[in-house]
Amino acid sequence: MFEGHRLIGIGEILVEFVSHVKNCGLTQIGPFSGPYPSGAPAIFADQAARVGAAVTMIGGVGADGFGHTTIARLKQDGVDCSAIKLGGRSTGTAFVSYYDDGMRDFIFHISGTAADDFSLPALPEGPLLLHVSAASLGNPVLRNLIMTCARQVLDHGGKIACDPNARPELMRDDDARHALQEIMQEAHCLLPSTSDLPYLFPDLPLEQAIERLAQRDGLTVLKRGADGATIFADTRIDLPGYAVTELDPTGAGDCFCGTFLAELSLGTPILEAGTRANAAGAIAVTRRGPMEGNSSPEEITEFLAQQSRFLEGAKA
Ligand code: ATP
Ligand code: MG
């Protein structure tokens, strides 16, 4: 359905610092590692390019060490960075700390940094698929840019994919919620995760929220963390999670979306695209750093081969 499309990522490009101390809610002095290249739209674009899709990233970084290292990484992985502004402001940053139950606290610095200081380029030629990671919509400047870009892409006959990525700390106001609703209505492919459902359907219990997703027109993929993913296309496809040791789950959803949409743009059938995305998401959580979990097609193929050898061994 997206075969031959160029993917576009738009929004915050950040570097992230990961706390090695758990359960402290970013209140304590302690060791961190970073700067890890990050920002949900950038992680998405990086993974999609690694998988082999044509990908353009629209955003901004500062002309500082954080910005240079992030651009170098995206370029190395094959992302077209010609629409990334290298600006006068400092690169945006994020800090994250985990709890034992997998919950996490973020502190973001996006507003007023290079991450929300860029303008829209002329759209690339050819069929386009714009991916919106909707947490970006919580920032008024990014929201305006993304909504304008989405309308331009639709006017040019392009398509929209959306990961609601409903981080409450980024999406407090009504304007963000309305923008998300508008994007979701237009989305040819919607890729929420289970953790987005209470935000998207505050009045519905989980199972009813999933029913609601199943009834939606178009392609919908529910990311279920350790439980894998479910695709609602012509039929429902449940993809069980792969057993891995989770070290750092941040970015797994963006990596999943990048893999899935890139595979579809390369003409891979939905079941195989979903299987490879499910594997890429599982690989992502085993590595510390949001973009460090991204993987090559060879690594995904090898992971799947290992999993099937493991299953064969278990049967024997
Ligand atoms: P984020 O927004 O933090 O990037 P998300 O909430 O959008 O993530 P998740 O559902 O947490 O998305 O993860 C995306 C995909 O990664 C899952 O659908 C699954 O394929 C894989 N995945 C995530 N966590 C695990 C895990 N613990 N074990 C195996 N696979 C996992
Ligand atoms: Mg997500």
Side-chain angles (χ1 to χ4, degrees):
M1 78 190 290
F2 301 131
E3 192 168 353
H5 284 59
R6 170 173 286 274
L7 273 47
I8 302 182
I10 182 170
E12 68 280 11
I13 305 174
L14 309 173
V15 293
E16 185 165 305
F17 294 85
V18 182
S19 168
H20 294 207
V21 180
K22 283 186 163 182
N23 307 311
C24 73
L26 290 167
T27 59
Q28 285 172 28
I29 297 170
F32 283 76
S33 55
Y36 293 110
S38 188
I43 299 166
F44 161 83
D46 181 81
Q47 177 65 7
R50 289 194 69 172
V51 168
V55 188
T56 297
M57 179 69 208
I58 304 174
V61 296
D64 49 32
F66 293 167
H68 291 307
T69 189
T70 303
I71 294 232
R73 171 64 171 280
L74 293 173
K75 277 190 181 160
Q76 176 195 312
D77 289 341
V79 178
D80 164 24
C81 295
S82 59
I84 298 179
K85 177 179 169 186
L86 191 70
R89 296 189 188 163
S90 302
T91 301
T93 52
F95 298 81
V96 63
S97 164
Y98 291 98
Y99 292 86
D100 284 332
D101 65 0
M103 298 298 283
R104 56 199 163 173
D105 280 320
F106 281 104
I107 296 176
F108 289 101
H109 295 283
I110 298 174
S111 187
T113 70
D116 72 352
D117 179 31
F118 59 92
S119 46
L120 294 179
L123 287 179
E125 298 290 319
L128 299 176
L129 172 61
L130 175 73
H131 178 66
V132 176
S133 168
S136 314
L137 301 172
N139 173 297
V141 182
L142 289 177
R143 179 163 67 239
N144 190 21
L145 288 162
I146 292 169
M147 298 309 281
T148 306
C149 188
R151 286 175 200 125
Q152 287 174 357
V153 166
L154 289 170
D155 287 348
H156 281 74
K159 295 184 174 141
I160 306 278
C162 173
D163 178 349
N165 238 336
R167 304 216 189 298
E169 59 274 68
L170 289 182
M171 304 208 57
R172 288 202 174 97
D173 62 85
D174 282 347
D175 290 343
R177 188 180 279 273
H178 292 147
L180 172 57
Q181 279 162 355
E182 191 179 329
I183 290 285
M184 281 176 54
Q185 264 158 22
E186 297 291 350
H188 300 83
C189 181
L190 186 68
L191 304 120
S193 68
T194 321
S195 56
D196 295 331
L197 297 180
Y199 179 88
L200 296 179
F201 305 103
D203 303 327
L204 295 184
L206 200 62
E207 280 312 312
Q208 282 181 33
I210 293 173
E211 266 310 301
R212 193 65 76 79
L213 285 178
Q215 286 155 9
R216 195 187 155 266
D217 281 341
L219 179 58
T220 303
V221 183
L222 180 64
K223 294 167 282 159
R224 295 170 172 264
D227 295 330
T230 297
I231 302 176
F232 301 98
D234 296 336
T235 55
R236 172 178 172 147
I237 305 170
D238 285 306
L239 300 165
Y242 294 106
V244 292
T245 305
E246 186 175 295
L247 177 64
D248 181 355
T250 303
D254 312 312
C255 178
F256 182 107
C257 295
T259 309
F260 185 69
L261 295 176
E263 290 288 355
L264 293 186
S265 81
L266 296 170
T268 307
I270 286 185
L271 173 60
E272 191 183 338
T275 302
R276 294 184 70 79
N278 196 26
I283 295 170
V285 302
T286 63
R287 301 178 187 160
R288 180 178 277 133
M291 200 185 280
E292 308 316 297
N294 282 356
S295 47
S296 65
E298 295 76 22
E299 283 172 296
I300 297 170
T301 301
E302 175 54 27
F303 177 89
L304 287 168
Q306 265 172 18
Q307 292 292 323
S308 68
R309 282 198 293 274
F310 177 74
L311 283 180
E312 289 302 311
K315 271 193 224 149

